[in-house]
Amino acid sequence: MDKKKILVVEDEKAISDILVFNLQREGYDTLAAYDGAEGLRCALEEAPDLILLDVMLPEMDGFEVCRRVRAEKDTPIIMLTAREEETDKVMGLELGADDYITKPFSMRELMARVKANMRRTYAGEDREKAEAPSGGGLRVSKDNGMVYKNGHPLELSAREFDILCFLSAAPGRVFSREELMEQVWGYDYYGDLRAVDVAIRRLREKIEDEPASPRYIITKRGMGYYFADGE
């Protein structure tokens, strides 16, 4: 089985070296970049399986790197930030980051986040060989990790796919944000549950004809979200 490759984009070399050392000790291959421009190049050309991305970077900040990567790839991104401001955390999620962790952090916490965000990916040739289900509506194929709408494949991130699979497995059942965080993210988000709302919104933008009036993922005010068949 091939090792998973993680790109570390961090301008402080001492921190980068510590991250690389611990990741390699856990069995991951690593790449390191020390500014945003080089990080973007590595992200697009070296095909890492996950990116650890610092926010404060020379040449190009982490938010811009995240935005440009997400425009082309669904690689899981964990933002590393020394900032406590909630707006910065939400901004990263809005731009497509899968997770964030605030400095200083323990290696144990970081490795837990890495493992929770690492997802199996499917090569382009496997996607091309996947047979689209017949019929209209929304179809989830767990066998090939694809989602189809009216027979056409949708490009979802691993997190979005996981949310859709989880909710659609129990149609009509309402799940709170805390339950979704525990079951889909796989760890405690320390009280900040807006990551769930951001991920749901991004998912709706891809699967719904009218995201503001969803047919598939419905909000139960004051309780959470549930999946409807959309018919």
Side-chain angles (χ1 to χ4, degrees), residues 4 8 10 30 33 47 93 96 135 138 144 158 190 198 200 207 211 221:
K4 296 295 186 182
V8 177
E10 166 63 64
T30 58
L93 296 171
L138 197 67
N144 57 44
Y190 304 104
V198 172
I200 291 288
I207 68 172
R221 188 173 298 277

Side-chain angles (χ1 to χ4, degrees), residues 8 11 26 50 73 75 88 98 114 121 124 126 142 158 186 198 223:
V8 177
D11 64 318
E26 290 290 323
L50 183 140
K73 293 181 177 292
T75 310
D88 290 331
D98 297 274
V114 167
T121 58
D126 292 332
K142 294 182 180 180
V198 172
M223 297 179 65

Side-chain angles (χ1 to χ4, degrees), residues 2-230:
D2 293 337
K3 287 184 178 181
K4 296 295 186 182
K5 181 166 54 178
I6 296 179
L7 169 62
V8 177
V9 189
E10 166 63 64
D11 64 318
E12 294 188 43
K13 192 173 187 304
I15 295 177
S16 177
D17 289 347
I18 292 172
L19 293 173
V20 166
F21 173 79
N22 282 276
L23 289 166
Q24 290 179 346
R25 191 170 63 175
E26 290 290 323
Y28 297 109
D29 283 338
T30 58
L31 296 167
Y34 303 103
D35 63 64
E38 179 65 8
L40 177 61
R41 186 197 67 77
C42 289
L44 298 181
E45 296 180 7
E46 301 294 337
D49 296 289
L50 183 140
I51 302 169
L52 295 177
L53 178 61
D54 190 27
V55 169
M56 301 298 291
L57 293 167
E59 303 295 333
M60 182 186 302
D61 68 29
F63 294 132
E64 181 64 12
V65 174
C66 180
R67 186 187 69 79
R68 295 195 188 188
V69 170
R70 192 53 79 232
E72 297 190 35
K73 293 181 177 292
D74 288 326
T75 310
I77 298 173
I78 301 177
M79 304 290 289
L80 308 177
T81 175
R83 301 177 177 181
E84 289 291 345
E85 288 85 352
E86 294 300 316
T87 53
D88 290 331
K89 298 174 182 178
V90 174
M91 181 183 297
L93 296 171
E94 290 281 358
L95 290 171
D98 297 274
D99 200 354
Y100 63 80
I101 185 169
T102 304
K103 300 176 182 177
F105 49 80
S106 70
M107 282 299 136
R108 181 178 180 181
E109 180 184 5
L110 178 66
M111 293 306 164
R113 298 291 183 94
V114 167
K115 291 174 182 177
N117 282 278
M118 189 72 76
R119 293 292 186 269
R120 181 164 58 115
T121 58
Y122 295 84
E125 60 184 24
D126 292 332
R127 288 179 181 270
E128 291 174 3
K129 292 177 183 177
E131 182 178 351
S134 60
L138 197 67
R139 299 289 184 269
V140 180
S141 176
K142 294 182 180 180
D143 291 337
N144 57 44
M146 293 293 292
V147 175
Y148 302 89
K149 184 175 180 182
N150 299 325
H152 300 287
L154 302 178
E155 290 295 329
L156 304 186
S157 70
R159 179 77 73 210
E160 293 159 355
F161 180 77
D162 288 348
I163 292 171
L164 184 57
C165 283
F166 182 77
L167 289 175
S168 64
R173 178 179 171 184
V174 178
F175 292 94
S176 67
R177 292 187 297 168
E178 290 84 356
E179 289 175 309
L180 287 171
M181 184 62 70
E182 179 182 352
Q183 296 297 322
V184 178
W185 275 253
Y187 52 84
D188 182 6
Y189 219 78
Y190 304 104
D192 187 352
L193 297 171
R194 281 178 294 180
V196 176
D197 299 327
V198 172
I200 291 288
R201 181 181 59 75
R202 291 178 62 87
L203 177 57
R204 280 173 170 163
E205 289 173 352
K206 295 180 180 181
I207 68 172
E208 303 283 0
D209 291 330
E210 298 181 27
S213 302
R215 298 172 57 199
Y216 296 106
I217 297 182
I218 312 300
T219 301
K220 186 73 171 179
R221 188 173 298 277
M223 297 179 65
Y225 300 99
Y226 70 93
F227 182 83
D229 61 14

